[in-house]
């Protein structure tokens, strides 16, 4: 099923939507088998459903032990400035929220923030 609310940032085409992670995973397996596309599912904050995105756009992160956001939740920490910027671009494309990248004061990771830093 094609999404009515979410569009590919590059293609401008409606994204395929899945109602749960399992369905999205089988969609990813299908794409791998038939098109040799390496995709992995992600949960979309905009529509609340699941889409697939290329693995090259995935940005692994872990929770920073030192930094918490305004809501008291530990911040996501990215391994490099490049990956943090990539994540910021993805969030901007999906949610229209422009985030700033800054280096963690306490570790080698990189964080995103909404506020001007
Ligand atoms: Zn969506
Ligand atoms: Zn930190």
């Amino acid at each position: 099923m094609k999404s009515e609310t979410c569009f590919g940032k590059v293609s401008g085409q409606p994204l395929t939507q899945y109602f749960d992670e399992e369905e999205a995973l089988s969609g990813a397996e299908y794409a791998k088998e038939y098109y040799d596309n390496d995709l992995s599912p992600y949960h979309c904050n905009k529509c609340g459903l699941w889409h697939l995105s290329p693995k090259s756009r995935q940005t692994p992160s872990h929770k920073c032990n030192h930094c918490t956001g305004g809501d008291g939740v530990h911040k996501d920490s990215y391994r490099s400035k490049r990956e943090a910027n990539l994540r910021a671009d993805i969030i901007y494309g999906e949610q229209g929220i422009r985030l700033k990248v800054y280096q963690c004061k306490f570790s080698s990771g990189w964080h995103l923030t909404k506020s001007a830093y």
Side-chain angles (χ1 to χ4, degrees):
M1 242 183 101
K2 293 292 177 190
S3 174
E4 288 174 7
T5 50
C6 303
F7 299 88
K9 198 177 169 234
V10 180
S11 64
Q13 298 297 311
L15 297 171
T16 304
Q17 62 187 22
Y18 301 92
F19 289 97
D20 53 39
E21 188 172 10
E22 218 169 297
E23 196 186 338
L25 274 170
S26 54
E29 274 167 29
Y30 182 88
K32 176 79 187 142
E33 194 166 336
Y34 290 92
Y35 306 107
D36 204 26
N37 282 340
D38 252 335
L39 302 173
S40 49
Y42 68 93
H43 186 244
C44 177
N45 289 325
K46 192 168 169 185
C47 64
L49 301 174
W50 292 77
H51 307 301
L52 300 177
S53 77
K55 281 200 177 134
S56 60
R57 281 168 61 80
Q58 303 284 317
T59 51
S61 64
H62 64 272
K63 296 289 176 194
C64 184
N65 293 327
H66 307 282
C67 306
T68 50
D71 47 9
V73 175
H74 283 278
K75 279 185 155 294
D76 287 322
S77 181
Y78 300 93
R79 297 176 302 185
S80 67
K81 189 176 189 181
R82 196 190 66 79
E83 284 180 1
N85 269 320
L86 181 60
R87 172 52 47 188
D89 279 351
I90 292 169
I91 291 171
Y92 183 69
E94 284 167 5
Q95 300 169 38
I97 302 166
R98 180 51 82 188
L99 298 173
K100 288 199 181 333
V101 170
Y102 68 97
Q103 187 158 29
C104 179
K105 285 184 205 140
F106 307 99
S107 74
S108 60
W110 292 80
H111 297 315
L112 300 178
T113 182
K114 271 182 215 167
S115 50
Y117 206 77

